[in-house]
Amino acid sequence: MGNNKTLSEVLRSRGVSRRGFLKYCAGLASILALPPALAPRIAAALESQRRPSVIWLSFQECTGCTEALTRSHAPTLEELILNVISLDYHHTLQAASGHAAEAAREQAMHDNKGKYLVLVDGSIPLGNPGFSTIAGISNKDMLMDTVKDAAAVVSIGTCAAFGGLPKANPNPTGAVAVSDLVKDKPVINVPGCPPIPVVMTAVLAHYLTFGTLPELDARGRPKAFYGETIHDRCYRRTFYDQGKFAKGFDDEGARKGWCLFELGCKGPVTYNACATVKWNDGVSFPIQAGHGCIGCSQPDFWDAGGFYDALSIPTGGSYTTAGAAAVGGVAVGAVMAVANSAKRKKAGATREPVTLEDLKGEG
């Protein structure tokens, strides 16, 4: 359990040069939206760190978060971080099974009391303990037992952060998020279905470097990655402002890369770093591939309306859309249009849309 070697020793044993490590630290500072001057501090902190014990619990989930984390290209930030974390318990990746598996979890908790991290993917069913059990232990009991001596808890994916698909109406299992149960430990939410791999690993790196969680928003998400909407950073935003929208996935507008808003893109109300960090080693993201954002990192996104229904009347062009049904009908669309006008007058702006968060009073 754990490892007595420092990060510097581990990386040298794996053939990582000092120059490569410093380059990694500079990249990490950039990804975390930290000043470049902090790169040496990150390097010094990480070099002296010993591998922390990590216990990963999987409850009502699809294993997509684990797939996202492990399917990385070499060498990447993901592999460097995973090389220095002692992953002592993981339902999918561990070699042990049966009694030996649960003994590994208990040993990790005992040997690293007050220092280990708990990562959770999947929601927790409260309707009936038998809905989901591991080694005969209900998800709720295993969660509460494991986090009691943890340093911090990271909710990986929208199911753990907000309940996700299992919590969607009518929520037959009584699914809840990790933060609904864990109240006495720091909890950081890393939503997404699944989250971007580098977001997961950067959050862990921040904790290892500074000994604290990164700055979080009102929903417990790291602001470095969830501080702006996908719409705000999308390369198709200029077409939105010009009122140029694809009407179908294979029409002329789609081929020219026009905005996908009228095809149901939820980018204007979705907070995530997809448009900047992207996926598959920074190659692309759904909108770049021609499909609108489905809002997977937002709470209750399964119940928010059809994936292919527009959110409301945009403000970048003079035209009509029938997508108001996605936010509760034409009446809500009209309210958004009025609110949008008031917002523009107040701010002296002409381009910013009113989002669902504006109507709900959310950050």
Side-chain angles (χ1 to χ4, degrees):
M1 304 299 164
N3 194 304
N4 290 325
K5 289 185 177 181
T6 64
L7 171 58
S8 179
E9 293 169 338
V10 171
L11 293 181
R12 282 200 300 269
S13 70
R14 294 178 177 273
V16 178
S17 68
R18 172 69 176 171
R19 181 177 180 180
F21 176 65
L22 290 176
K23 184 177 180 180
Y24 157 70
C25 291
L28 185 59
S30 176
I31 288 173
L32 289 169
L34 298 173
L38 283 181
R41 178 180 173 184
I42 293 175
L46 288 181
E47 280 186 313
S48 61
Q49 285 285 349
R50 303 185 186 279
R51 296 177 68 191
S53 175
V54 171
I55 297 175
W56 182 305
L57 303 176
S58 298
F59 297 139
Q60 288 192 133
E61 45 77 32
C62 68
T63 314
C65 296
T66 294
E67 290 283 352
L69 187 65
T70 58
R71 291 193 177 193
S72 57
H73 296 77
T76 65
L77 304 183
E78 289 91 334
E79 289 187 346
L80 285 172
I81 290 297
L82 289 176
N83 281 341
V84 298
I85 287 175
S86 180
L87 190 58
D88 293 330
Y89 184 86
H90 190 298
H91 299 155
T92 304
L93 302 178
Q94 65 192 14
S97 62
H99 295 293
E102 292 312 303
R105 179 176 65 89
E106 294 168 1
Q107 190 68 45
M109 294 165 57
H110 177 271
D111 292 348
N112 303 282
K113 189 174 182 178
K115 299 179 180 180
Y116 62 90
L117 298 176
V118 176
L119 275 60
V120 183
D121 70 312
S123 62
I124 301 93
L126 299 185
N128 183 325
F131 281 144
S132 180
T133 64
I134 300 160
I137 306 170
S138 73
N139 289 174
K140 179 184 177 182
D141 288 347
M142 179 171 283
L143 172 66
M144 303 312 293
D145 177 61
T146 305
V147 303
K148 62 184 179 183
D149 293 319
V153 182
V154 183
S155 298
I156 300 293
T158 300
C159 290
F162 303 131
L165 175 59
K167 189 182 177 183
N169 289 330
N171 191 3
T173 66
V176 299
V178 171
S179 58
D180 290 327
L181 296 175
V182 179
K183 302 295 185 181
D184 60 346
K185 301 290 179 181
V187 177
I188 181 169
N189 290 326
V190 185
C193 196
I196 302 172
V198 71
V199 174
M200 293 186 259
T201 54
V203 168
L204 297 179
H206 186 286
Y207 183 83
L208 294 177
T209 301
F210 302 105
T212 61
L213 298 179
E215 185 180 4
L216 307 178
D217 68 8
R219 294 193 176 280
R221 302 172 295 196
K223 286 186 176 181
F225 300 104
Y226 300 91
E228 295 182 302
T229 66
I230 291 175
H231 181 71
D232 288 335
R233 292 298 184 92
C234 181
Y235 74 98
R236 296 182 189 240
R237 174 64 187 271
T238 56
F239 293 115
Y240 175 96
D241 294 336
Q242 297 171 40
K244 295 181 178 179
F245 299 88
K247 308 296 183 181
F249 287 107
D250 60 349
D251 70 359
E252 181 182 6
R255 289 191 289 272
K256 290 182 177 179
W258 288 1
C259 182
L260 302 173
F261 185 93
E262 290 193 355
L263 296 177
C265 181
K266 303 302 186 289
V269 298
T270 302
Y271 290 82
N272 210 333
C274 299
T276 49
V277 177
K278 300 186 179 182
W279 291 81
N280 299 322
D281 205 22
V283 172
S284 184
F285 71 113
I287 294 174
Q288 187 173 338
H291 193 286
C293 168
I294 65 173
C296 74
S297 57
Q298 292 300 111
D300 304 318
F301 82 100
W302 285 102
D303 297 321
F307 290 157
Y308 301 106
D309 294 326
L311 284 166
S312 64
I313 299 176
T315 62
S318 55
Y319 53 88
T320 303
T321 178
V327 288
V330 177
V332 176
V335 170
M336 292 188 76
V338 173
N340 189 43
S341 176
K343 181 181 179 182
R344 291 201 311 272
K345 290 179 180 179
K346 181 178 179 180
T350 59
R351 294 185 174 183
E352 285 296 327
V354 166
T355 68
L356 293 182
E357 279 74 11
D358 292 321
L359 292 179
K360 296 177 182 178
E362 299 175 352

